[in-house]
Amino acid sequence: MNTKYLYLILISIFIIGCKNQESKISGTIQKEEAKQLITDTVTLKTTAQSNVKVVEKQFEIAGLDRNRQIRVYLPPSYHTSDKKHPVLYMHDAQNLFDKYTSYSGEWEVDESLNQLAKTSDIELIVVGIDNGAEKRMNELSPWKNSQFGEAEGEAYMKFIVNQIKPYIDNNYRTLADKNNTAIIGSSMGGLISHYAIYEYPEIFSKVGIFSPSYWYSDDVFTFTKNNPIPKEARLFLLVGKKEGQGMTENTEKMHTQILSSNHPKENIHMIIDPEGEHNEAFWKKHFTSAIEWLFTNKL
């Protein structure tokens, strides 16, 4: 064979081989890029700040035969200091930090507290307990309701006090005494938070009662009357005039009843927002004010 033709054949084979290899590399790169894009997309499907973590451990609720997940917010300075922090317990954790896990918007608790940490000395650990979905109404009331069924709130609060709080105090740098322990919730979460400070005044000294479902059971009024709390306990009540029938009236009724028990006026604060509706946007609006009042007596 002519040397010239042999040379051309060899060059052609080399070029074809290079193109095939380039095609393989390009395909690999495209596949890797696609995989990374999917990973990035999944990763981006959260609005929670980086200092919010879902605890991998599943916690069994004693007496209710079901497991529950919790989410923990740590202050921005947590990993760069040895400081201990107050702890705030909250319900409906799916709605606190991330719009992608929320069914009706998020409170933006993490963004609010990160900003507050920049402008004040308030740095809290927040423990969010996921709600029980179809069991939510039952778990968040210690009183039976003829329409919604059995009360599981007593077991739910024992779960927080006897299982979740010890876990948090043992695994994080907390100020574990009652003066540094608060609880906040909205709607049915407001009802169970009210119950919490009255049932466990040795555990909680601060409570945020947002849009409380006092309509759920009249027993809450009798229970409150029969179980006065320490004078130093601080209660922040919030309700909106656009929330629905009876919401404002019931909250005002409770406010009056608490004051009539000689609880100091300076330790109970109520806001009636004329534009307030029963949603996360309303609770988010007043969250920072509630934290400042509960922990520093500022509004």
Side-chain angles (χ1 to χ4, degrees):
M1 181 181 293
N2 188 300
T3 305
K4 178 180 177 181
Y5 288 119
L6 179 60
Y7 177 77
L8 290 174
I9 291 171
L10 291 173
I11 290 294
S12 298
I13 292 172
F14 176 78
I15 292 172
I16 291 169
C18 287
K19 286 185 176 179
N20 287 339
Q21 184 64 21
E22 180 183 18
S23 177
K24 289 178 182 179
I25 293 172
S26 177
T28 301
I29 291 173
Q30 288 175 357
K31 288 179 181 178
E32 291 302 317
E33 287 178 342
K35 286 167 63 179
Q36 186 60 48
L37 180 60
I38 292 170
T39 301
D40 290 345
T41 301
V42 171
T43 302
L44 288 173
K45 287 295 183 182
T46 178
T47 59
Q49 300 296 291
S50 60
N51 47 331
V52 176
K53 301 297 181 185
V54 177
V55 176
E56 292 184 5
K57 175 180 171 64
Q58 289 282 322
F59 298 85
E60 182 178 355
I61 304 178
L64 296 184
D65 193 28
R66 63 188 73 124
N67 292 336
R68 194 54 40 84
Q69 192 166 61
I70 67 173
R71 304 162 197 265
V72 177
Y73 163 91
L74 298 176
S77 68
Y78 185 84
H79 294 295
T80 58
S81 76
D82 296 324
K83 183 180 177 182
K84 293 185 177 182
H85 300 277
V87 183
L88 167 62
Y89 292 86
M90 300 186 71
H91 320 285
D92 296 316
Q94 298 98 320
N95 294 4
L96 301 179
F97 311 110
D98 192 345
K99 76 176 184 179
Y100 290 104
T101 58
S102 168
Y103 54 84
S104 54
E106 62 159 312
W107 286 51
E108 296 186 8
V109 166
D110 43 349
E111 289 89 348
S112 298
L113 290 180
N114 283 352
Q115 181 60 34
L116 194 58
K118 294 178 182 178
T119 59
S120 74
D121 294 329
I122 300 175
E123 288 192 313
L124 310 178
I125 292 173
V126 179
V127 180
I129 300 97
D130 279 13
N131 66 56
E134 72 278 0
K135 294 291 186 180
R136 177 178 181 273
M137 301 285 280
N138 307 93
E139 288 181 2
L140 297 183
S141 176
W143 302 288
K144 185 177 179 180
N145 180 283
S146 58
Q147 179 180 352
F148 298 104
E150 293 300 318
E152 297 177 340
E154 184 177 347
Y156 172 78
M157 277 311 307
K158 284 182 178 179
F159 166 66
I160 293 176
V161 169
N162 297 330
Q163 294 174 247
I164 298 300
K165 188 176 188 301
Y167 173 85
I168 295 298
D169 290 336
N170 287 332
N171 287 276
Y172 299 91
R173 296 194 311 274
T174 68
L175 295 169
D177 62 290
K178 73 172 187 177
N179 292 330
N180 288 287
T181 307
I183 189 164
I184 290 180
S186 62
S187 193
M188 290 298 294
L191 181 67
I192 197 68
S193 295
H194 179 113
Y195 170 79
I197 198 167
Y198 276 85
E199 181 68 15
Y200 296 99
E202 75 283 6
I203 301 294
F204 306 102
S205 67
K206 301 170 177 61
V207 62
I209 303 169
F210 288 20
S211 306
S213 297
Y214 291 140
W215 58 267
Y216 193 85
S217 175
D218 287 338
D219 289 341
V220 65
F221 293 98
T222 304
F223 172 76
T224 302
K225 181 179 179 180
N226 293 338
N227 294 276
I229 53 177
K231 303 300 183 185
E232 66 272 16
R234 299 176 65 75
L235 299 90
F236 185 100
L237 277 74
L238 173 69
V239 70
K241 284 197 171 182
K242 295 184 178 180
E243 292 203 62
Q245 185 177 3
M247 290 293 293
T248 302
E249 292 79 5
N250 277 332
T251 305
E252 289 180 312
K253 177 182 176 182
M254 182 60 75
H255 180 247
T256 299
Q257 180 173 316
I258 295 171
L259 287 175
S260 68
S261 70
N262 294 319
H263 198 80
K265 289 182 180 180
E266 62 269 22
N267 284 341
I268 180 169
H269 183 75
M270 182 171 69
I271 293 177
I272 300 175
D273 188 330
E275 300 301 318
E277 299 180 353
H278 200 80
N279 56 40
E280 274 68 21
F282 174 47
W283 304 323
K284 175 180 69 175
K285 174 184 174 183
H286 292 279
F287 176 73
T288 297
S289 294
I291 294 299
E292 289 181 316
W293 186 81
L294 288 171
F295 285 90
T296 66
N297 199 24
K298 294 180 180 178
L299 284 173

